[in-house]
Coordinates of all heavy atoms in Angstrom, one line a residue:
M278 N 123.2 17.7 -1.8 CA 122.1 17.2 -2.7 C 121.8 18.4 -3.7 O 121.5 19.5 -3.3 CB 120.9 16.8 -1.9 CG 119.7 16.4 -2.7 SD 118.3 15.9 -1.7 CE 117.5 17.4 -1.5
S279 N 121.8 18.1 -4.9 CA 121.5 19.1 -5.9 C 120.0 19.0 -6.3 O 119.4 18.0 -6.2 CB 122.3 18.7 -7.2 OG 122.1 19.7 -8.2
C280 N 119.5 20.2 -6.6 CA 118.1 20.3 -7.0 C 118.0 21.3 -8.2 O 118.9 22.1 -8.4 CB 117.2 20.7 -5.9 SG 117.4 22.4 -5.2
R281 N 117.0 21.1 -8.9 CA 116.7 22.0 -10.1 C 115.6 22.9 -9.6 O 114.5 22.5 -9.2 CB 116.3 21.2 -11.3 CG 115.9 22.2 -12.4 CD 115.9 21.5 -13.7 NE 117.2 21.5 -14.2 CZ 117.6 21.7 -15.5 NH1 116.7 21.8 -16.4 NH2 118.8 21.6 -15.9
L282 N 115.9 24.2 -9.8 CA 114.8 25.2 -9.5 C 114.9 26.3 -10.6 O 115.6 26.2 -11.5 CB 115.0 25.8 -8.1 CG 116.4 26.2 -7.7 CD1 116.8 27.6 -8.3 CD2 116.5 26.2 -6.2
F283 N 114.1 27.3 -10.4 CA 113.9 28.4 -11.4 C 114.2 29.7 -10.7 O 113.5 30.0 -9.7 CB 112.5 28.3 -12.1 CG 112.3 27.0 -12.8 CD1 111.8 26.0 -12.2 CD2 112.7 26.9 -14.1 CE1 111.6 24.7 -12.8 CE2 112.5 25.7 -14.8 CZ 112.0 24.6 -14.1
L284 N 115.2 30.4 -11.2 CA 115.5 31.7 -10.6 C 115.2 32.8 -11.6 O 115.8 32.8 -12.7 CB 117.0 31.8 -10.3 CG 117.5 33.1 -9.7 CD1 116.9 33.5 -8.4 CD2 119.1 33.0 -9.5
N285 N 114.2 33.6 -11.3 CA 113.7 34.6 -12.2 C 113.4 34.0 -13.6 O 113.7 34.5 -14.6 CB 114.7 35.7 -12.3 CG 114.7 36.6 -11.0 OD1 113.8 36.5 -10.2 ND2 115.7 37.3 -10.9
G286 N 112.8 32.8 -13.5 CA 112.4 32.1 -14.8 C 113.4 31.3 -15.4 O 113.2 30.6 -16.4
R287 N 114.7 31.3 -15.0 CA 115.8 30.5 -15.6 C 116.0 29.3 -14.8 O 116.2 29.3 -13.6 CB 117.0 31.4 -15.5 CG 118.3 30.8 -16.1 CD 119.5 31.8 -16.1 NE 119.7 32.4 -14.8 CZ 120.7 32.0 -13.9 NH1 121.4 30.9 -14.2 NH2 120.8 32.6 -12.8
A288 N 116.0 28.1 -15.5 CA 116.3 26.9 -14.8 C 117.7 26.8 -14.3 O 118.6 27.3 -15.0 CB 116.1 25.7 -15.8
L289 N 117.9 26.3 -13.2 CA 119.2 26.3 -12.5 C 119.3 25.0 -11.6 O 118.5 24.7 -10.9 CB 119.3 27.6 -11.6 CG 120.5 27.8 -10.8 CD1 121.7 28.1 -11.6 CD2 120.2 29.0 -9.8
D290 N 120.5 24.4 -11.8 CA 120.8 23.3 -10.9 C 121.7 23.8 -9.8 O 122.7 24.5 -10.1 CB 121.5 22.1 -11.7 CG 120.6 21.5 -12.7 OD1 119.4 21.2 -12.4 OD2 121.1 21.2 -13.8
T291 N 121.4 23.5 -8.6 CA 122.2 24.1 -7.5 C 122.3 23.1 -6.3 O 121.5 22.2 -6.1 CB 121.5 25.4 -7.0 OG1 122.3 26.0 -6.0 CG2 120.1 25.1 -6.5
D292 N 123.4 23.3 -5.6 CA 123.6 22.6 -4.3 C 123.3 23.5 -3.1 O 123.5 23.1 -2.0 CB 125.1 22.1 -4.2 CG 125.4 21.0 -5.2 OD1 124.5 20.3 -5.5 OD2 126.5 21.1 -5.7
A293 N 122.8 24.7 -3.4 CA 122.5 25.6 -2.3 C 121.4 25.0 -1.3 O 120.4 24.5 -1.8 CB 122.0 27.0 -2.8
A294 N 121.7 25.1 0.0 CA 120.8 24.5 0.9 C 119.7 25.5 1.4 O 118.7 25.1 1.9 CB 121.6 24.1 2.1
S295 N 120.0 26.8 1.2 CA 119.0 27.7 1.6 C 118.9 28.9 0.6 O 119.7 29.0 -0.3 CB 119.4 28.4 3.0 OG 120.5 29.2 2.8
L296 N 117.8 29.7 0.8 CA 117.6 30.8 -0.1 C 118.9 31.8 0.0 O 119.3 32.2 -1.1 CB 116.4 31.6 0.3 CG 116.0 32.8 -0.5 CD1 115.9 32.5 -2.0 CD2 114.7 33.4 0.0
A297 N 119.4 32.0 1.2 CA 120.6 32.9 1.3 C 121.8 32.3 0.6 O 122.5 33.0 -0.1 CB 120.9 33.1 2.8
D298 N 122.0 31.0 0.7 CA 123.1 30.3 0.0 C 122.9 30.5 -1.5 O 123.9 30.8 -2.2 CB 123.1 28.8 0.3 CG 123.5 28.5 1.7 OD1 124.1 29.4 2.4 OD2 123.3 27.4 2.1
L299 N 121.7 30.4 -2.0 CA 121.5 30.5 -3.5 C 121.8 31.9 -3.9 O 122.5 32.2 -4.9 CB 120.0 30.2 -3.8 CG 119.7 30.4 -5.3 CD1 120.4 29.4 -6.2 CD2 118.2 30.4 -5.5
L300 N 121.3 32.9 -3.2 CA 121.5 34.3 -3.5 C 123.0 34.6 -3.5 O 123.5 35.3 -4.5 CB 120.8 35.2 -2.5 CG 119.2 35.1 -2.6 CD1 118.6 35.9 -1.4 CD2 118.7 35.6 -3.9
R301 N 123.8 34.2 -2.6 CA 125.2 34.4 -2.5 C 125.9 33.8 -3.7 O 126.7 34.4 -4.4 CB 125.8 33.9 -1.2 CG 125.8 34.8 -0.1 CD 126.6 34.2 1.1 NE 125.9 34.5 2.3 CZ 125.1 33.7 3.0 NH1 125.0 32.4 2.6 NH2 124.5 34.0 4.0
T302 N 125.5 32.5 -4.0 CA 126.1 31.8 -5.1 C 125.8 32.5 -6.4 O 126.7 32.5 -7.3 CB 125.5 30.3 -5.2 OG1 125.8 29.7 -3.9 CG2 126.1 29.6 -6.3
E303 N 124.7 33.1 -6.6 CA 124.3 33.7 -7.8 C 124.8 35.2 -7.9 O 124.4 35.9 -8.8 CB 122.8 33.6 -8.0 CG 122.4 32.2 -8.3 CD 123.1 31.6 -9.6 OE1 123.0 32.3 -10.6 OE2 123.6 30.5 -9.5
G304 N 125.5 35.7 -6.9 CA 126.1 37.0 -6.9 C 125.3 38.1 -6.4 O 125.6 39.3 -6.6
F305 N 124.2 37.8 -5.7 CA 123.4 38.9 -5.2 C 124.0 39.5 -3.9 O 124.6 38.7 -3.1 CB 122.0 38.4 -4.9 CG 121.1 38.2 -6.1 CD1 121.0 36.8 -6.6 CD2 120.5 39.2 -6.7 CE1 120.3 36.6 -7.7 CE2 119.7 38.9 -7.9 CZ 119.6 37.6 -8.4
D306 N 123.9 40.8 -3.7 CA 124.4 41.4 -2.5 C 123.3 41.3 -1.5 O 122.3 42.0 -1.6 CB 124.8 42.9 -2.8 CG 125.2 43.7 -1.6 OD1 125.3 43.1 -0.5 OD2 125.4 44.9 -1.7
L307 N 123.5 40.5 -0.4 CA 122.5 40.2 0.5 C 122.1 41.5 1.4 O 121.1 41.5 2.0 CB 122.8 39.1 1.4 CG 123.0 37.7 0.7 CD1 123.1 36.6 1.8 CD2 121.9 37.5 -0.3
S308 N 123.1 42.4 1.4 CA 122.8 43.7 2.1 C 122.1 44.7 1.3 O 121.7 45.8 1.8 CB 124.1 44.2 2.8 OG 125.0 44.6 1.7
G309 N 122.0 44.4 0.0 CA 121.4 45.3 -1.0 C 119.8 45.4 -0.9 O 119.2 44.6 -0.1
A310 N 119.3 46.2 -1.6 CA 117.8 46.4 -1.7 C 117.2 45.4 -2.6 O 116.9 45.7 -3.8 CB 117.5 47.8 -2.1
I311 N 117.0 44.2 -2.1 CA 116.3 43.2 -2.9 C 115.2 42.5 -2.1 O 115.2 42.6 -0.9 CB 117.3 42.1 -3.4 CG1 118.0 41.4 -2.3 CG2 118.2 42.7 -4.4 CD1 118.8 40.2 -2.8
A312 N 114.2 42.0 -2.8 CA 113.1 41.2 -2.1 C 113.0 39.9 -2.8 O 113.4 39.8 -4.0 CB 111.8 42.0 -2.3
C313 N 112.6 38.9 -2.1 CA 112.6 37.5 -2.6 C 111.2 36.9 -2.4 O 110.6 37.1 -1.3 CB 113.7 36.7 -2.0 SG 115.3 37.2 -2.4
A314 N 110.8 36.0 -3.3 CA 109.6 35.2 -3.2 C 110.0 33.8 -3.6 O 110.8 33.6 -4.5 CB 108.5 35.7 -4.0
V315 N 109.5 32.8 -2.9 CA 109.6 31.4 -3.3 C 108.2 30.9 -3.5 O 107.3 31.0 -2.7 CB 110.3 30.6 -2.2 CG1 110.3 29.1 -2.6 CG2 111.7 31.2 -1.9
N316 N 108.0 30.4 -4.7 CA 106.7 29.9 -5.2 C 105.6 31.0 -4.9 O 104.5 30.6 -4.4 CB 106.4 28.6 -4.5 CG 107.4 27.5 -4.8 OD1 108.0 27.5 -5.9 ND2 107.8 26.7 -3.8
R317 N 105.9 32.2 -5.2 CA 105.0 33.4 -5.2 C 104.7 33.8 -3.7 O 103.7 34.6 -3.5 CB 103.7 33.1 -5.9 CG 104.0 32.9 -7.4 CD 102.7 32.7 -8.1 NE 103.0 32.7 -9.6 CZ 102.2 33.2 -10.5 NH1 101.0 33.7 -10.2 NH2 102.5 33.2 -11.7
A318 N 105.4 33.3 -2.8 CA 105.2 33.7 -1.4 C 106.4 34.5 -0.9 O 107.5 34.0 -1.0 CB 105.0 32.5 -0.5
F319 N 106.2 35.8 -0.5 CA 107.2 36.6 -0.1 C 108.0 36.0 1.1 O 107.3 35.4 2.0 CB 106.6 38.0 0.4 CG 107.7 38.9 1.0 CD1 108.7 39.5 0.3 CD2 107.6 39.1 2.4 CE1 109.6 40.3 0.9 CE2 108.5 40.0 3.0 CZ 109.5 40.6 2.3
V320 N 109.3 36.0 1.1 CA 110.1 35.5 2.2 C 110.9 36.7 2.8 O 111.7 37.3 2.2 CB 111.1 34.5 1.7 CG1 112.0 34.0 2.8 CG2 110.5 33.3 0.9
P321 N 110.6 37.0 4.1 CA 111.3 38.1 4.7 C 112.7 37.9 4.8 O 113.2 36.7 5.0 CB 110.7 38.1 6.1 CG 109.4 37.4 6.0 CD 109.6 36.4 4.9
R322 N 113.5 38.9 4.7 CA 115.0 38.8 4.8 C 115.5 38.0 6.0 O 116.4 37.3 5.9 CB 115.6 40.2 4.8 CG 117.1 40.3 4.7 CD 117.6 41.7 4.7 NE 117.1 42.5 3.6 CZ 117.8 42.7 2.5 NH1 119.0 42.3 2.4 NH2 117.2 43.4 1.5
S323 N 114.8 38.2 7.1 CA 115.2 37.5 8.3 C 115.1 36.0 8.2 O 115.6 35.2 9.0 CB 114.3 38.0 9.5 OG 113.0 37.7 9.3
Q324 N 114.4 35.5 7.2 CA 114.2 34.0 7.0 C 115.0 33.4 5.8 O 114.9 32.3 5.6 CB 112.7 33.7 6.8 CG 111.8 34.1 8.0 CD 110.4 33.9 7.7 OE1 110.0 33.3 6.8 NE2 109.6 34.4 8.6
W325 N 115.8 34.3 5.1 CA 116.5 33.8 4.0 C 117.4 32.6 4.3 O 117.5 31.7 3.6 CB 117.3 34.9 3.3 CG 116.4 35.9 2.6 CD1 115.1 35.9 2.5 CD2 116.9 37.1 2.0 NE1 114.7 37.0 1.8 CE2 115.8 37.8 1.5 CE3 118.2 37.6 1.8 CZ2 115.9 39.0 0.8 CZ3 118.3 38.8 1.1 CH2 117.2 39.5 0.6
A326 N 118.1 32.8 5.4 CA 119.1 31.8 5.8 C 118.5 30.5 6.3 O 119.1 29.4 6.2 CB 120.0 32.3 6.9
S327 N 117.3 30.5 6.7 CA 116.6 29.3 7.2 C 115.6 28.7 6.2 O 115.0 27.7 6.5 CB 115.9 29.6 8.6 OG 114.9 30.5 8.4
R328 N 115.4 29.4 5.1 CA 114.4 28.9 4.1 C 115.0 27.9 3.2 O 115.9 28.2 2.4 CB 113.9 30.1 3.3 CG 112.9 29.8 2.1 CD 111.7 29.1 2.7 NE 110.7 28.9 1.7 CZ 110.6 27.9 0.8 NH1 111.5 27.0 0.8 NH2 109.6 27.8 0.0
P329 N 114.7 26.6 3.4 CA 115.3 25.6 2.5 C 114.7 25.6 1.1 O 113.7 26.2 0.9 CB 114.8 24.2 3.2 CG 113.6 24.6 4.0 CD 113.7 26.1 4.3
L330 N 115.5 25.1 0.2 CA 115.0 25.0 -1.2 C 114.7 23.6 -1.5 O 115.3 22.7 -1.1 CB 116.2 25.5 -2.1 CG 116.6 27.0 -1.8 CD1 117.8 27.4 -2.7 CD2 115.4 27.9 -2.1
D331 N 113.6 23.4 -2.4 CA 113.2 22.1 -2.8 C 113.2 22.1 -4.3 O 113.1 23.1 -5.0 CB 111.8 21.8 -2.3 CG 111.7 21.7 -0.8 OD1 112.5 21.0 -0.2 OD2 110.8 22.3 -0.2
D332 N 113.4 20.9 -4.8 CA 113.4 20.7 -6.3 C 112.1 21.3 -6.9 O 111.0 21.1 -6.4 CB 113.4 19.2 -6.6 CG 113.9 18.9 -8.0 OD1 114.9 19.5 -8.4 OD2 113.3 18.1 -8.6
G333 N 112.3 22.1 -7.9 CA 111.1 22.7 -8.6 C 110.7 24.0 -8.1 O 109.8 24.7 -8.6
D334 N 111.3 24.5 -7.0 CA 111.0 25.8 -6.4 C 111.1 26.9 -7.5 O 112.1 26.9 -8.3 CB 111.8 26.2 -5.2 CG 111.3 25.6 -3.9 OD1 110.2 25.1 -3.9 OD2 112.0 25.6 -2.9
Q335 N 110.3 27.9 -7.4 CA 110.4 29.1 -8.3 C 110.8 30.3 -7.4 O 110.0 30.7 -6.6 CB 109.1 29.3 -9.0 CG 108.7 28.2 -10.0 CD 107.5 28.5 -10.8 OE1 107.1 29.7 -11.0 NE2 106.9 27.5 -11.3
I336 N 112.0 30.8 -7.6 CA 112.5 31.9 -6.9 C 112.4 33.2 -7.7 O 112.9 33.2 -8.8 CB 114.0 31.6 -6.5 CG1 114.2 30.2 -6.0 CG2 114.5 32.7 -5.5 CD1 113.5 29.8 -4.8
D337 N 111.9 34.2 -7.2 CA 111.8 35.5 -7.8 C 112.6 36.5 -6.9 O 112.3 36.6 -5.7 CB 110.4 36.0 -8.0 CG 109.6 35.1 -9.0 OD1 110.1 35.0 -10.1 OD2 108.6 34.5 -8.6
V338 N 113.6 37.1 -7.5 CA 114.3 38.2 -6.9 C 114.0 39.5 -7.6 O 114.2 39.6 -8.8 CB 115.8 37.8 -6.9 CG1 116.6 38.9 -6.2 CG2 116.1 36.5 -6.3
I339 N 113.6 40.5 -6.8 CA 113.3 41.8 -7.3 C 114.2 42.8 -6.7 O 114.4 42.9 -5.5 CB 111.8 42.1 -7.0 CG1 110.9 41.0 -7.5 CG2 111.5 43.5 -7.5 CD1 109.5 41.1 -7.0
S340 N 114.8 43.6 -7.6 CA 115.7 44.7 -7.1 C 115.2 46.0 -7.8 O 114.7 46.0 -8.9 CB 117.1 44.4 -7.5 OG 117.3 44.2 -8.8
P341 N 115.5 47.1 -7.2 CA 115.0 48.4 -7.7 C 115.9 48.7 -9.0 O 117.1 48.3 -9.0 CB 115.3 49.4 -6.6 CG 116.2 48.7 -5.7 CD 116.0 47.2 -5.9
V342 N 115.3 49.4 -9.9 CA 116.0 49.9 -11.1 C 116.0 51.4 -11.1 O 115.0 52.0 -10.9 CB 115.3 49.3 -12.3 CG1 115.9 49.9 -13.6 CG2 115.3 47.8 -12.4
T343 N 117.2 51.9 -11.3 CA 117.3 53.4 -11.3 C 117.2 53.9 -12.8 O 117.5 53.1 -13.7 CB 118.6 53.9 -10.7 OG1 119.7 53.3 -11.4 CG2 118.6 53.5 -9.2
G344 N 116.9 55.1 -12.9 CA 116.9 55.7 -14.3 C 115.5 56.3 -14.5 O 114.6 56.2 -13.7
G345 N 115.4 56.9 -15.7 CA 114.1 57.6 -16.0 C 113.4 57.0 -17.1 O 113.4 56.0 -17.7

């Protein structure tokens, strides 16, 4: 089942069943230093695989930036 959601403000149609599936599909390194929120609620890494996605969800992925 496909749904439309927003990943870091970008509209996206996806068949991903969970937050972890979405992150993998979009090329994020799940072992890397990233944090995720769904609809402004922080989702602990331990729940990424079990967090389902719904049509209209807003996903924010935050990763550290290096440099000065």
Side-chain angles (χ1 to χ4, degrees):
M278 177 176 90
S279 181
C280 66
R281 173 164 280 217
L282 48 77
F283 298 89
L284 177 62
N285 289 341
R287 176 176 55 97
L289 176 68
D290 293 319
T291 182
D292 292 326
S295 70
L296 178 58
D298 290 342
L299 175 69
L300 295 172
R301 274 190 220 98
T302 300
E303 292 300 309
F305 289 96
D306 177 4
L307 299 190
S308 64
I311 58 174
C313 297
V315 177
N316 301 326
R317 297 185 174 212
F319 172 71
V320 180
R322 185 180 300 260
S323 62
Q324 296 177 11
W325 291 357
S327 62
R328 176 59 170 85
L330 299 175
D331 294 315
D332 200 47
D334 277 348
Q335 295 184 22
I336 315 299
D337 293 303
V338 180
I339 301 165
S340 59
V342 176
T343 59

